[in-house]
Amino acid sequence: MKSTINTSPDHIARLLKQFKLIDIQTNYESEIAYAIENNIGHREFLVRLLEIEAEGKRERNVEKNIKAAKVRRN
């Protein structure tokens, strides 16, 4: 018997929010469209999403560190 997986956008958004994957949450719909248009496989699709999230986290960490450095100076 095949299990049913909830793939609704609301459920996906809740899970992404729960795991704090904000960049994937923002971009996954456009990445799905890109994957369909360019016929990319599931592994490449996953890697693209993970790279988007990693870049976003790097950018937020840089911003956080800059703010922290400014606070320490004052």
Side-chain angles (χ1 to χ4, degrees), residues 24 40-52:
I24 291 176
I40 67 169
H42 64 280
R43 288 179 193 266
E44 183 178 344
F45 172 72
L46 178 59
V47 168
R48 288 175 59 88
L49 287 176
L50 293 172
E51 286 175 345
I52 288 168

Side-chain angles (χ1 to χ4, degrees), residues 6-21:
N6 183 352
T7 61
S8 73
D10 288 341
H11 182 65
I12 292 169
R14 277 192 302 277
L15 290 172
L16 292 170
K17 185 175 181 179
Q18 176 183 344
F19 291 107
K20 299 179 182 177
L21 299 171

Side-chain angles (χ1 to χ4, degrees), residues 14-15 29 53 58:
R14 277 192 302 277
L15 290 172
E29 291 283 357
E53 188 65 33
R58 277 191 295 273

